[in-house]
Amino acid sequence: MATMVDVARRAGVSVATVSHVVNETRRVRPDTRQAVLDAIDDLGYTPNTLARSLVTARTRSIGLAVSAISNPYFTEILQGVEAGALEHGYSLLIADPHDDPAHERKVVQLLHERRVDGVIVAPSAEPAELIGYLTRRGVPCVFLDRLIGGRHDHPYDQVGAENAFHLEQLVRHLAELGHTRIGMVAGLPGLSTTVERIDGYRTGLHHSGLAFDPGLLADGHSEARGAEDATHRLLASDEPPTAIVTANNAMTIGALRALRAAGRTVPHDLALACFDDFSWADVFSPGLTAISQPSREIGSTAVRLLLDRLEHPERPPRTVRLPCAFVHRTSCGCAPEPAPETAGRPSPPGKDPVP
């Protein structure tokens, strides 16, 4: 098995230079660095990651804690995190906090005890215990999707989608189609995504000249079964909605189940629009009008924020908001649009807001 000494001899440099290239502990001239990399490749040298972590105090690993990993939205975020980690030579350890504040703190502690260099977390609705642990232990962390905003004084970077504006966009579109009773199936109370999307719902009603009716806002608890029950409650009201907005993809499935059970067809009996596009939304009949989040970009941006934090721990915290795309299909009651020249979901914005 090739050693670092063998690599140094092949490249014609010192062992210390090879160590600096492998461990990225000091800048090395580009031509020298390339000679070392060529020697590593020629000899099939594999660095000892355990020994390297003892020298650098880094394991080149990242912990990711997100709930509902089976949800297509979080699956795509995971893919973005994984791709970003691999691009920079980091491995990934994954845990599911199950949206439980106590369990959330435990899984992040377990990741920290595995000596990850930092963690990326989609926090629960009550992250105080988690934040306390991160602060006491000085764990580098980036929050993604669910942001903690002004509820906590914290030094953490964050990345998520623009929520309020795009939910408002859905409501105003339905109002322009003539709907005056627009219901909403909202997410888990306390999450920033829930709060912001409800704000967008109310703003959309206001700008459309419609009064907010608390009876048209139902808690779907961010999951399919909760949304199914919430939709049944909306349909059973004295003045049921003629259009419904769902606040994530899992709740869209629950709403569709409830509408089918009630014998309601979309969009003939009731219009439907959803926040969160997903890969098979266009195969439903009718196709689902939706807001498409840049989920993979959210994941990869979280990695870049974390790595930048590791290199510059004193830098002021940043919150990055990424725009979504309005995907116009037919569940809102509009006629289908002509097929675009290039098929597929709209690509998220190409400009990277993180240097």
Side-chain angles (χ1 to χ4, degrees), residues 17-316:
T17 298
V18 175
S19 176
H20 289 317
V21 171
V22 170
N23 297 315
E24 299 180 359
T25 49
R26 185 180 298 174
R27 288 185 61 85
V28 176
R29 284 173 42 189
D31 57 335
T32 303
R33 182 175 183 276
Q34 189 58 52
V36 172
L37 294 176
D38 290 342
I40 287 173
D41 188 52
D42 291 343
L43 296 172
Y45 170 69
T46 303
N48 186 327
T49 55
L50 178 58
R52 181 172 63 188
S53 70
L54 293 174
V55 173
T56 65
R58 296 272 186 93
T59 60
R60 298 194 72 81
S61 62
I62 293 171
L64 174 66
V66 294
S67 297
I69 292 173
S70 60
N71 184 311
Y73 169 66
F74 280 114
T75 299
E76 291 190 3
I77 280 185
L78 190 156
Q79 291 170 350
V81 171
E82 182 180 43
L86 289 175
E87 179 185 352
H88 293 90
Y90 279 72
S91 59
L92 191 63
L93 280 70
I94 305 170
D96 188 340
H98 301 294
D99 275 329
D100 177 274
H103 189 62
E104 171 181 69
R105 196 270 304 160
K106 289 178 183 177
V107 300
V108 169
Q109 179 178 342
L110 288 173
L111 290 170
H112 183 218
E113 289 173 353
R114 292 292 187 95
R115 298 182 62 82
V116 296
D117 294 338
V119 294
I120 297 171
V121 183
S124 68
E126 300 176 12
E129 191 172 349
L130 167 66
I131 293 171
Y133 178 84
L134 295 171
T135 303
R136 289 191 303 272
R137 300 304 179 93
V139 182
C141 176
V142 172
F143 293 118
L144 60 70
D145 183 58
R146 295 113 169 242
L147 312 186
I148 56 178
R151 295 179 297 158
H152 303 272
D153 183 17
H154 65 85
Y156 300 107
D157 300 298
Q158 309 187 95
V159 56
E162 291 282 1
N163 289 296
F165 170 78
H166 293 293
L167 203 295
E168 175 189 345
Q169 191 178 15
L170 289 179
V171 172
R172 295 180 72 163
H173 177 68
L174 292 170
E176 288 167 1
L177 296 176
H179 294 281
T180 58
R181 293 193 60 76
I182 302 170
M184 179 180 181
V185 178
L188 187 68
L191 294 179
S192 67
T193 48
T194 299
V195 172
E196 292 171 5
R197 290 170 195 175
I198 290 175
D199 286 346
Y201 168 69
R202 298 188 64 157
T203 303
L205 293 174
H206 174 74
H207 285 303
S208 301
L210 302 175
F212 170 68
D213 180 350
L216 291 176
L217 177 63
D219 174 14
H221 218 67
S222 294
E223 44 92 19
R225 181 57 186 271
E228 191 172 352
D229 294 339
T231 304
H232 281 302
R233 292 196 300 272
L234 289 175
L235 296 177
S237 62
D238 292 338
E239 294 184 75
T242 61
I244 290 178
V245 174
T246 55
N248 77 6
N249 54 21
M251 291 191 291
T252 301
I253 300 300
L256 286 169
R257 286 174 181 161
L259 292 171
R260 182 180 62 186
R264 306 290 183 90
T265 60
V266 177
H268 182 264
D269 297 319
L270 186 142
L272 182 68
C274 52
F275 198 107
D276 253 0
D277 197 22
F278 43 100
S279 57
W280 58 88
D282 59 341
V283 303
F284 281 92
S285 182
L288 297 174
T289 292
I291 296 298
S292 175
Q293 298 193 72
S295 45
R296 295 192 187 191
E297 189 179 0
I298 289 173
S300 61
T301 299
V303 172
R304 289 194 290 275
L305 284 169
L306 181 60
L307 298 186
D308 193 35
R309 172 61 55 194
L310 294 174
E311 294 302 318
H312 307 284
E314 302 305 318
R315 179 182 50 72

